[in-house]
Amino acid sequence: DTAVSQTPKYLVTQMGNDKSIKCEQNLGHDTMYWYKQDSKKFLKIMFSYNNKELIINETVPNRFSPKSPDKAHLNLHINSLELGDSAVYFCASSPGLAGVLSDEQFFGPGTRLTVL
Amino acid sequence: GESVGLHLPTLSVQEGDNSIINCAYSNSASDYFIWYKQESGKGPQFIIDIRSNMDKRQGQRVTVLLNKTVKHLSLQIAATQPGDSAVYFCAENTGGFKTIFGAGTRLFVKA
């Protein structure tokens, strides 16, 4: 009965490779997010989707491409991986009700990406 | 640019004592604030939130205080327990779907 799940939990890969991280939520939420957490624990939003539509696209290299096939899934594809992409990536979801001043986000367990 | 919080400081408290974790935010337009707890190897977990029309909000063993005049937020944990050991993040929102997280504070609870 996991609320927000991510796969894989760990990902070790070589520079230049392309990889994907998958995220699914079974909470019935309308909004999903991707965050990057660096080694200093700083958590920065990358993307946000509301009902499969991209609503937040922070200053992220275009090697990162999110895809939302339906509102329960938000996948992150990364092309040409670089050393600096090593981090923990968190998926999150929130009810995202229109007109509501934000709301609680539910985070997945994270995917630790190591680029060698 | 927008910024919330401080670079990751550490707070060490004795079990049973009260803990106070502080956070400064810079965007005076922010009107919704949240505290998250992140345990080792896990994702952040919501603790408590407060809207800008309030100064104080209480939960179970936790209290959040908001001082809009000096743009300061604090989280008070009563009778701190070993299970409270984690990194705590304050976060702010100006409306919409973008939440900005602070750098976090690591809380150590000594038995």
Side-chain angles (χ1 to χ4, degrees), chain A residues 33 37 55 58 101 105, chain B residues 36 38 46 51 97-99:
Chain A
Y33 312 79
Q37 187 172 49
I55 53 171
E58 288 296 284
L101 179 60
Q105 293 182 31
Chain B
Y36 284 89
Q38 185 178 21
F46 174 92
R51 301 196 185 277
F97 301 102
K98 183 175 177 180
T99 298

Side-chain angles (χ1 to χ4, degrees), chain B residues 10-51:
Chain B
T10 299
L11 175 66
S12 185
V13 300
Q14 198 68 38
E15 182 179 359
D17 287 352
N18 296 334
S19 303
I20 300 177
I21 300 171
N22 295 304
C23 175
Y25 65 95
S26 59
N27 189 346
S28 56
S30 294
D31 45 16
Y32 176 63
F33 304 88
I34 319 102
W35 281 99
Y36 284 89
K37 172 186 180 184
Q38 185 178 21
E39 296 175 279
S40 181
K42 296 183 180 178
Q45 182 180 17
F46 174 92
I47 302 173
I48 191 168
D49 59 2
I50 189 168
R51 301 196 185 277

Side-chain angles (χ1 to χ4, degrees), chain B residues 30-91:
Chain B
S30 294
D31 45 16
Y32 176 63
F33 304 88
I34 319 102
W35 281 99
Y36 284 89
K37 172 186 180 184
Q38 185 178 21
E39 296 175 279
S40 181
K42 296 183 180 178
Q45 182 180 17
F46 174 92
I47 302 173
I48 191 168
D49 59 2
I50 189 168
R51 301 196 185 277
S52 60
N53 61 352
M54 302 171 70
D55 297 325
K56 178 179 179 179
R57 189 159 188 230
Q58 288 185 290
Q60 189 176 13
R61 283 202 306 119
V62 294
T63 300
V64 54
L65 298 176
L66 175 62
N67 186 331
K68 294 181 290 294
T69 303
V70 296
K71 291 185 282 189
H72 184 268
L73 197 64
S74 69
L75 177 71
Q76 300 178 3
I77 305 174
T80 314
Q81 302 168 0
D84 295 326
S85 293
V87 177
Y88 289 81
F89 294 95
C90 63

Side-chain angles (χ1 to χ4, degrees), chain A residues 9 31 33 35 37 40-43 45 48 50 55-56 58 90 96 100-105 107-109, chain B residues 4 8 31-32 34 36 38 41-46 51 87 89 93-99 101-103 106:
Chain A
K9 189 167 173 62
T31 306
Y33 312 79
Y35 287 87
Q37 187 172 49
K40 291 185 171 61
K41 294 291 189 181
F42 188 68
L43 197 62
I45 191 166
S48 176
N50 178 259
I55 53 171
I56 293 175
E58 288 296 284
F90 286 100
V100 173
L101 179 60
S102 190
D103 42 35
E104 175 185 350
Q105 293 182 31
F107 283 78
Chain B
V4 178
L8 191 64
D31 45 16
Y32 176 63
I34 319 102
Y36 284 89
Q38 185 178 21
K42 296 183 180 178
Q45 182 180 17
F46 174 92
R51 301 196 185 277
V87 177
F89 294 95
N93 190 291
T94 56
F97 301 102
K98 183 175 177 180
T99 298
F101 282 76
R106 188 180 299 279

Side-chain angles (χ1 to χ4, degrees), chain A residues 78-115:
Chain A
I78 316 170
N79 288 327
S80 303
L81 278 155
E82 300 177 358
L83 294 177
D85 297 332
S86 295
V88 181
Y89 292 84
F90 286 100
C91 176
S93 73
S94 68
L97 300 172
V100 173
L101 179 60
S102 190
D103 42 35
E104 175 185 350
Q105 293 182 31
F106 294 78
F107 283 78
T111 296
R112 182 175 292 277
L113 172 65
T114 303
V115 182

